[in-house]
Amino acid sequence: MSEQLPTTFDPAKIEARWYQHWEEKGLFRPERPDAEPFTIVNPPPNVTGSLHIGHALDNTLQDIVIRYERLRGKDALWVVGTDHAGIATQMVVERQLEEKQDKRTNYSREDFIKKVWEWKEESGGTITRQLRRLGCSMDWSREQFTMDEHFTDAVLKTFVDLYNAKDEVGNRLNLIYRDKRLVNWDPKLKTAISDLEVETQDVKGSFWHFKYPLEDGVTLADGRDYIEVATTRPETMLADMAVAVHPSDERYASVVGKRVVLPITGRRVPIVADEHADPELGSGAVKITPGHDFNDFEVGKRAGFAAGEMLNMLTGDGDVCQTADGLVPDEFLGLHRFKRDGTNGARELVVERLKEAGLLIPHIAKTKKGEEVEHDAEPRTIATPFGDRGGVVIEPWLTDQWYVDAEKLAAKPIEQVRSGEIEIVPATWEKTFFNWMENIQPWCVSRQLWWGHRIPAWYGPTIVDRSDRGEGERDLVWDFSSDDVVIGTSQPCFVAETFEEASNLCEEYFRKHGFTRPIEFREVTDLHVGHLIPTSGDNRIPLRRDPDVLDTWFSSALWPFATLGWPNDTDLVQKHFPNNLLISGFDILFFWDARMMMMGQYNMGQAPWPKLYLHGLVRAADGAKMSKSKGNVVDPLGLIDQYGADALRFFMAAMESQGRDIKMDDERVKGYRNFATKLWNATRFCQSNGIGASSTLAAPEARLAANQWIIGEVQQTVEKLESAMADLRFDAAANTIYHFTWDRFCDWYLELIKPVFAEGASETALEETRAVAGWVLDQILVMLHPFMPFITEELWHAQGELAGTSRAEYPIITAKWPSPRAEVSKAATDAIDWVIDLTSNVRSAKNELGIPPGTKLAAFLPEASDLASNTIERSSAAIERLARLTPLTLSEAPSGPAMQVTAKAGNAGDVFIIPLEGIIDIGEEKARLEKALAASQKEAKSLEGRLGNANFVERAKPEAVEKAKADFAHHSAEAERLASALERLG
RNA sequence: GGGCGUAUAGCUCAGUGGUAGAGCACUGUAUUGACAUUGCAGGGGUCGGGAGUUCAACUCUCUCUACGCCCACCA
């Protein structure tokens, strides 16, 4: 930039430009075939998504790491892509159809999916554009999508492999299997969901007590002819199949094995003994609805009901349907399970009918006045399950679904975390991880959706033996008549990656069962019932593919290797798997991280990464969780517009201490914008003084104390930064570079070297200082680059142009990480520390005495330490400029009122005498000295006390005793000095 | 019911077995070339309560209190 930089840094002017430059030049993925690889994968955001503040945090941290490793010369790869997000995406597209009074079911499955793809092409790029605005240096050239062809191959292969997996002796492990059991069913989305997608919320509800009449002639021990049961879900009584009591409950011992006659349906159901019934609770008897309650399902199984026998009284929409025994009265059919949109449902009608029949036991409540009032039910807070996407109450529903045996897959990851093979940072999450993994339940992976990876399973016809009818052949029949209720397990199922392979499996199966005719197959999607008629029509055998798709997390679990090209053994997989680190929010520890561990282990035989970093949530300024419904969502793009991406990123880094959520604080973001401006202006200062780019990685030769000192400071900063990064302490890393830049470089170094640029300074000094200052600024830019990529790139180039060495071909994003390799003399650093101490003390004293800071004061130093005399000789200009002591005389001060100011030199100090005649009221100086004296005395006394404690001297660490002694010596000398100074003032 | 986390300056947060730090806010002050999106100086905390271990506790242990989160089938 030959033109002068403007005074104020305007992020908007440079961000887009540099991002485009990096991307176009392929700098996110520089060619480094021989370098050590470093790999992270981005948690793929939903393709429907837009960037929220949590993404901003997550991606900032990852970008810091990847830019840092890239600068350190690694072959750094940050894999990026988006997730097809089955439910979420399908919902978005369905909602759009609804807006046009249209709906999904007006389309064929194929056409609908085509629409989703179209939508993805149109709008799926939102979040990736926004990630670019944040400055994320991902490898876009290999952008992934979980439904890309190669990714789909990986998903299908994994599914088939898990299905076919066998142990050493060839027994099927059933790592994936189909089972009929209760699932969490979302009646709004009409799909099964996994346990993790269920959110339990406390809801105000009611607790009803009913009488279930005992069958004729049966009574309880106390003579009652009914059993009292209580429930929060009366509507499910239409599908009750038993009443359970505790085996040891005396009250009911006589009726176990007898039956009750259920009201409304008249169904006679057994009274069973089961541990599940808690005698302490309510009446001790509990109604059992195995088809609509998880506990009851288990009780039902124990009572001897097969899953297929368990009554179902609800449709997938949550409406009442007829049970298999046909006992649900007509008036209930078609009602919703409970009140919805103000219309009563089955729940309300059941209560009404029972009340009419005198079978409702009212709840007696007392008013404040002590009067007894009857209510239909007892009010109660009920922990109610909701679907996290659909937002409606989950219905346990009996269906056939595909399950992953997570318990088997979890074993190895548990071991890996326990052994440290996988490190979780912060480690406090390990317990949570173990707690979940060790109690893990089968993972329901099938979803009744259209958008997603279709399950690679085909169902074939059932073989029916017709030999009894003299046909001498077996026939095949099929019933593909329903899409709502998934096909029964009775039909043979063939799991394979393709239809052809499934056909082969099917043929094998038929041959094994004595089917001898020539066989051809066809894949059917239509719904119909039929049987093979050998002589007419299309006699190819139909195979129907499972209509369901897989849980989105099933595919994203493969992300660390499928994105690299697995299962094809590509170079990328070789080089970049396992990844080096995973950064994710703790909220997806179970959803994603744990599943990656399982699938990484299963498919690749090892952990997907050795380290897992979990960060917290970004909360609103008041500490509340951000949510659309609360309207407290902070848009990261708004912050970028206002303060720049660099400031937002730096905020995220500086606030990211391990194990804590981040509270949003705009003022702080603004503060980091100010920091950027500060750096911007420091660079302007350098520009205007002929300070430019450095051509060396190692620190330039330096003889001047200030230059040596700053080189030493850079060295320390690099070390601190590296150590913070190694520990993934983003806050410490950010603060290190922040304070070095502002406090050390801007506030002291630039001030120290200003005299060099004054007229009359030596040419050698000027040259050296320019070289050092330019080098230091370069190091700052590189160290800061991972945090603030845009401004550092801009200033990097501003530096280079001035020095006449164009950096057009050498951007900072691929620059080299600092490696000062410098020897810094202690004498030099001591000298500058001395100047800084002196300056601060003079300024402080002046301030307290009300002397204007600009005032130049004459000073006398009667007894100069070696450090003092050398420093005064070599750095007089700096002392004059900063401390404003001039003239400075190395001799006794003339008599008269004066103030004393010290500069620390070793344990002692140099005491400057500054005459105050005509400058200030002596009283003020006396007050100042008295205050300092009191402080010194207090310190000295406290230390004296400690040193007087025999226990301390004997038992404390020797270093601690030494330090206490030294501190005591220092403070008592200081007190003495101040006391005599006071005395002199009179 | 189980598990975890957090309580430090007005606010948001770091931190260490030897008697506390940052940013913002606050107070005073400074302005003719890097920067008022600034400089300089300063005030402010018995580190949630209690007990214990220790020569020494804000730091380790126990306990209490408050708040938050996760998991769990109470009909």
Side-chain angles (χ1 to χ4, degrees):
Chain A
M1 261 30 40
S2 47
E3 62 203 79
Q4 189 75 18
L5 292 166
T7 18
T8 306
F9 165 50
D10 181 2
K13 281 202 176 129
I14 65 162
E15 290 179 355
R17 174 159 50 83
W18 282 121
Y19 198 91
Q20 198 183 354
H21 178 83
W22 294 328
E23 189 171 358
E24 277 171 6
K25 301 274 179 187
L27 297 170
F28 297 146
R29 183 85 181 115
E31 294 266 328
R32 289 175 179 172
D34 301 323
E36 188 188 333
F38 185 89
T39 315
I40 54 177
V41 296
N42 180 263
N46 290 356
V47 67
T48 55
S50 54
L51 195 80
H52 58 64
I53 200 85
H55 290 124
L57 169 64
D58 190 55
N59 288 288
T60 294
L61 300 181
Q62 292 177 64
D63 196 40
I64 288 169
V65 170
I66 205 76
R67 282 182 187 267
Y68 173 66
E69 296 295 351
R70 193 184 294 118
L71 287 170
R72 299 201 322 153
K74 303 263 181 76
D75 182 23
L77 170 63
W78 187 9
V79 174
V80 66
T82 48
D83 193 296
H84 68 280
I87 294 178
T89 308
Q90 182 164 324
M91 276 173 77
V92 167
V93 177
E94 286 196 64
R95 211 174 297 136
Q96 282 181 332
L97 289 178
E98 270 165 36
E99 277 165 21
K100 291 182 269 182
Q101 324 298 327
D102 204 351
K103 58 183 177 184
R104 171 171 62 109
T105 45
N106 286 350
Y107 297 84
S108 70
R109 178 170 181 145
E110 240 175 18
D111 287 344
F112 177 77
I113 289 174
K114 207 183 281 172
K115 278 196 166 307
V116 182
W117 277 107
E118 278 166 19
W119 178 87
K120 189 240 169 199
E121 294 314 319
E122 265 172 50
S123 328
T126 305
I127 193 155
T128 55
R129 275 194 304 279
Q130 294 170 328
L131 284 167
R132 285 175 167 91
R133 285 212 56 199
L134 191 61
C136 296
S137 59
M138 299 141 157
D139 180 16
W140 296 108
S141 71
R142 299 193 64 263
E143 185 178 345
Q144 304 282 312
F145 182 53
T146 48
M147 279 182 44
D148 284 343
E149 210 177 319
H150 76 270
F151 210 105
T152 300
D153 290 347
V155 171
L156 300 188
K157 177 181 164 51
T158 303
F159 188 97
V160 174
D161 284 356
L162 284 167
Y163 181 81
N164 290 326
K166 296 196 173 73
D167 66 12
E168 306 81 35
V169 263
N171 293 323
R172 184 159 250 160
L173 285 166
N174 288 322
L175 296 178
I176 276 191
Y177 57 92
R178 220 171 136 64
D179 197 10
K180 188 187 212 58
R181 64 171 73 165
L182 285 187
V183 280
N184 299 298
W185 182 265
D186 186 319
K188 182 176 177 191
L189 304 171
K190 279 177 268 183
T191 178
I193 57 177
S194 73
D195 298 348
L196 283 176
E197 289 159 285
V198 176
E199 286 174 355
T200 307
Q201 289 173 34
D202 282 339
V203 170
K204 277 186 189 158
S206 303
F207 193 48
W208 287 273
H209 296 253
F210 298 138
K211 294 176 183 173
Y212 276 8
L214 289 155
E215 63 186 335
D216 288 345
V218 179
T219 52
L220 293 180
D222 64 7
R224 275 186 292 172
D225 60 354
Y226 64 88
I227 285 187
E228 180 183 341
V229 294
T231 182
T232 56
R233 296 211 56 194
E235 67 281 9
T236 61
M237 65 94 57
L238 299 174
D240 275 357
M241 296 184 75
V243 169
V245 296
H246 196 271
S248 63
D249 195 332
E250 298 287 324
R251 294 170 293 178
Y252 302 107
S254 65
V255 297
V256 170
K258 302 285 195 303
R259 297 191 293 181
V260 295
V261 182
L262 287 173
I264 300 178
T265 56
R267 181 181 305 124
R268 288 169 179 266
V269 304
I271 298 159
V272 300
D274 195 284
E275 305 272 344
H276 169 67
D278 183 349
E280 304 295 314
L281 272 170
S283 64
V286 56
K287 72 193 253 325
I288 300 298
T289 321
H292 296 291
D293 182 282
F294 287 102
N295 286 317
D296 294 3
F297 181 78
E298 296 303 321
V299 176
K301 275 204 302 195
R302 287 195 289 268
F305 295 110
E309 297 176 74
M310 294 178 182
L311 294 175
N312 172 42
M313 54 158 285
L314 292 170
T315 65
D317 290 306
D319 296 334
V320 177
C321 63
Q322 188 54 270
T323 50
D325 58 11
L327 293 174
V328 177
D330 285 352
E331 63 170 339
F332 285 91
L333 301 179
L335 284 182
H336 192 60
R337 51 192 168 147
F338 42 68
K339 196 174 202 165
R340 187 175 60 174
D341 303 331
T343 308
N344 282 347
R347 172 174 299 177
E348 290 73 24
L349 189 56
V350 163
V351 172
E352 199 183 320
R353 291 290 174 262
L354 283 163
K355 197 175 177 184
E356 286 164 6
L359 297 172
L360 176 81
I361 302 168
H363 171 71
I364 314 289
K366 279 196 176 161
T367 63
K368 281 176 196 164
K369 291 177 187 163
E371 295 162 13
E372 292 195 343
V373 188
E374 276 191 11
H375 294 288
D376 284 357
E378 180 185 342
R380 217 183 236 221
T381 305
I382 300 161
T384 311
F386 287 83
D388 67 350
R389 288 284 172 186
V392 302
V393 177
I394 289 304
E395 193 62 55
W397 207 40
L398 195 58
T399 53
D400 289 293
Q401 301 287 346
W402 288 94
Y403 292 89
V404 167
D405 186 345
E407 192 180 342
K408 288 202 186 93
L409 296 180
K412 187 72 183 176
I414 289 173
E415 203 183 305
Q416 286 163 333
V417 173
R418 213 175 285 290
S419 72
E421 198 179 322
I422 297 176
E423 184 193 357
I424 299 182
V425 181
T428 48
W429 284 104
E430 282 180 8
K431 271 201 177 170
T432 308
F433 173 81
F434 290 135
N435 186 38
W436 188 70
M437 288 289 263
E438 284 165 358
N439 298 293
I440 199 163
Q441 297 299 307
W443 171 20
C444 175
V445 291
S446 43
R447 297 288 180 274
Q448 287 65 52
L449 304 171
W450 283 357
W451 176 244
H453 298 107
R454 192 149 172 188
I455 289 174
W458 282 260
Y459 301 95
T462 314
I463 301 170
V464 175
D465 197 335
R466 291 272 175 86
S467 48
D468 59 328
R469 282 162 55 182
E471 291 174 30
E473 256 292 16
R474 289 165 178 227
D475 201 357
L476 302 171
V477 297
W478 62 92
D479 177 356
F480 298 147
S481 60
S482 165
D483 206 5
D484 279 343
V485 178
V486 194
I487 298 159
T489 40
S490 61
Q491 278 153 326
C493 171
F494 306 99
V495 172
E497 286 181 58
T498 61
F499 169 69
E500 283 66 36
E501 289 169 47
S503 308
N504 293 340
L505 290 173
C506 185
E507 178 168 357
E508 223 174 89
Y509 171 83
F510 288 152
R511 296 296 180 222
K512 214 166 82 189
H513 286 80
F515 200 77
T516 52
R517 250 181 307 188
I519 299 178
E520 269 188 274
F521 291 94
R522 62 190 158 119
E523 187 171 25
V524 296
T525 49
D526 45 344
L527 307 173
H528 62 188
V529 187
H531 62 101
L532 196 65
I533 301 162
T535 50
S536 68
D538 186 351
N539 60 2
R540 288 176 303 161
I541 293 168
L543 284 182
R544 181 163 187 254
R545 185 160 183 180
D546 194 312
D548 292 350
V549 301
L550 284 164
D551 181 4
T552 294
W553 297 102
F554 185 93
S555 49
S556 42
L558 314 181
W559 196 247
F561 43 92
T563 50
L564 300 172
W566 184 88
N568 302 315
D569 197 11
T570 63
D571 293 347
L572 271 180
V573 178
Q574 286 292 325
K575 190 160 186 186
H576 294 281
F577 189 91
N579 312 154
N580 293 71
L581 169 69
L582 184 85
I583 295 182
S584 95
F586 66 73
D587 51 329
I588 52 172
L589 172 60
F590 304 147
F591 275 112
W592 192 49
D593 307 347
R595 270 119 180 218
M596 277 190 285
M597 292 188 206
M598 297 189 219
M599 293 302 193
Q601 183 58 41
Y602 181 73
N603 278 328
M604 312 298 286
Q606 56 186 324
W609 11 257
K611 196 181 272 202
L612 168 60
Y613 181 89
L614 295 170
H615 62 251
L617 255 47
V618 183
R619 297 178 168 276
D622 61 359
K625 207 167 167 174
M626 287 189 194
S627 73
K628 276 182 198 157
S629 55
K630 281 187 209 150
N632 60 351
V633 176
V634 173
D635 177 12
L637 296 156
L639 288 167
I640 291 175
D641 289 340
Q642 201 174 354
Y643 301 113
D646 287 334
L648 177 62
R649 292 168 58 107
F650 205 89
F651 167 80
M652 292 295 177
M655 299 305 287
E656 176 57 22
S657 58
Q658 290 173 4
R660 205 193 253 264
D661 287 347
I662 292 178
K663 268 184 209 159
M664 204 50 232
D665 181 357
D666 285 22
E667 281 304 301
R668 193 135 179 172
V669 180
K670 186 171 153 190
Y672 292 125
R673 187 275 317 264
N674 295 355
F675 172 60
T677 303
K678 183 77 183 173
L679 178 66
W680 182 268
N681 279 301
T683 307
R684 288 179 60 231
F685 170 79
C686 291
Q687 274 193 334
S688 61
N689 285 292
I691 296 164
S694 178
S695 54
T696 62
L697 187 59
E701 288 289 321
R703 300 187 59 246
L704 297 178
N707 288 334
Q708 285 209 33
W709 170 80
I710 195 70
I711 289 168
E713 294 282 317
V714 168
Q715 212 148 248
Q716 284 179 29
T717 303
V718 175
E719 280 164 21
K720 274 169 81 176
L721 195 48
E722 286 175 351
S723 131
M725 288 302 291
D727 295 341
L728 294 171
R729 287 306 305 246
F730 295 95
D731 54 345
N735 287 328
T736 298
I737 185 66
Y738 178 94
H739 284 113
F740 173 71
T741 304
W742 203 316
D743 304 345
R744 302 278 96 179
F745 182 71
C746 292
D747 288 347
W748 286 110
Y749 179 70
L750 292 184
E751 294 305 322
L752 283 163
I753 63 171
K754 274 179 182 171
V756 178
F757 299 103
E759 274 184 49
S762 90
E763 197 56 37
T764 356
L766 189 59
E767 224 169 87
E768 175 190 305
T769 302
R770 278 183 176 150
V772 171
W775 176 84
V776 175
L777 183 51
D778 274 359
Q779 310 315 304
I780 287 175
L781 295 176
V782 176
M783 286 190 280
L784 184 59
H785 181 258
F787 303 87
M788 294 190 150
F790 294 110
I791 189 175
T792 49
E793 187 73 88
E794 177 76 9
L795 297 178
W796 178 256
H797 292 271
Q799 278 270 81
E801 299 287 338
L802 268 176
T805 55
S806 169
R807 279 181 165 174
E809 296 307 315
Y810 181 38
I812 199 171
I813 184 173
T814 49
K816 290 197 171 68
W817 186 253
S819 175
R821 294 193 297 264
E823 297 272 326
V824 175
S825 84
K826 183 160 186 311
T829 55
D830 281 350
I832 298 301
D833 288 339
W834 185 88
V835 171
I836 289 174
D837 192 50
L838 172 64
T839 304
S840 303
N841 290 342
V842 170
R843 285 172 177 169
S844 180
K846 276 182 172 170
N847 205 285
E848 283 178 58
L849 299 181
I851 303 169
T855 314
K856 290 185 175 169
L857 299 170
F860 298 85
L861 183 59
E863 292 170 54
S865 64
D866 289 350
L867 176 57
S869 48
N870 288 334
T871 307
I872 289 164
E873 193 187 324
R874 293 183 57 192
S875 307
S876 61
I879 294 169
E880 183 181 334
R881 189 188 155 82
L882 297 179
R884 303 206 157 243
L885 294 180
T886 183
L888 179 52
T889 320
L890 292 180
S891 66
E892 286 297 335
S895 61
M899 72 167 170
Q900 292 194 355
V901 175
T902 57
K904 227 191 231 172
N907 264 339
D910 288 296
V911 181
F912 288 78
I913 312 296
I914 299 169
L916 291 177
E917 193 76 74
I919 294 171
I920 195 70
D921 179 7
I922 303 303
E924 305 247 14
E925 171 64 356
K926 279 176 81 173
R928 189 180 78 91
L929 290 178
E930 271 158 11
K931 194 173 145 198
L933 176 61
S936 274
Q937 283 172 334
K938 189 181 164 202
E939 278 296 314
K941 199 176 166 196
S942 151
L943 288 160
E944 191 177 17
R946 204 189 306 175
L947 287 163
N949 180 345
N951 275 327
F952 173 70
V953 181
E954 282 163 27
R955 307 173 77 155
K957 284 177 296 190
E959 309 93 85
V961 179
E962 278 314 304
K963 184 168 183 300
K965 280 183 182 163
D967 287 353
F968 173 70
H970 174 251
H971 281 116
S972 44
E974 183 69 6
E976 225 168 279
R977 191 203 104 231
L978 288 162
S980 61
L982 264 170
E983 207 170 302
R984 235 170 306 143
L985 282 175

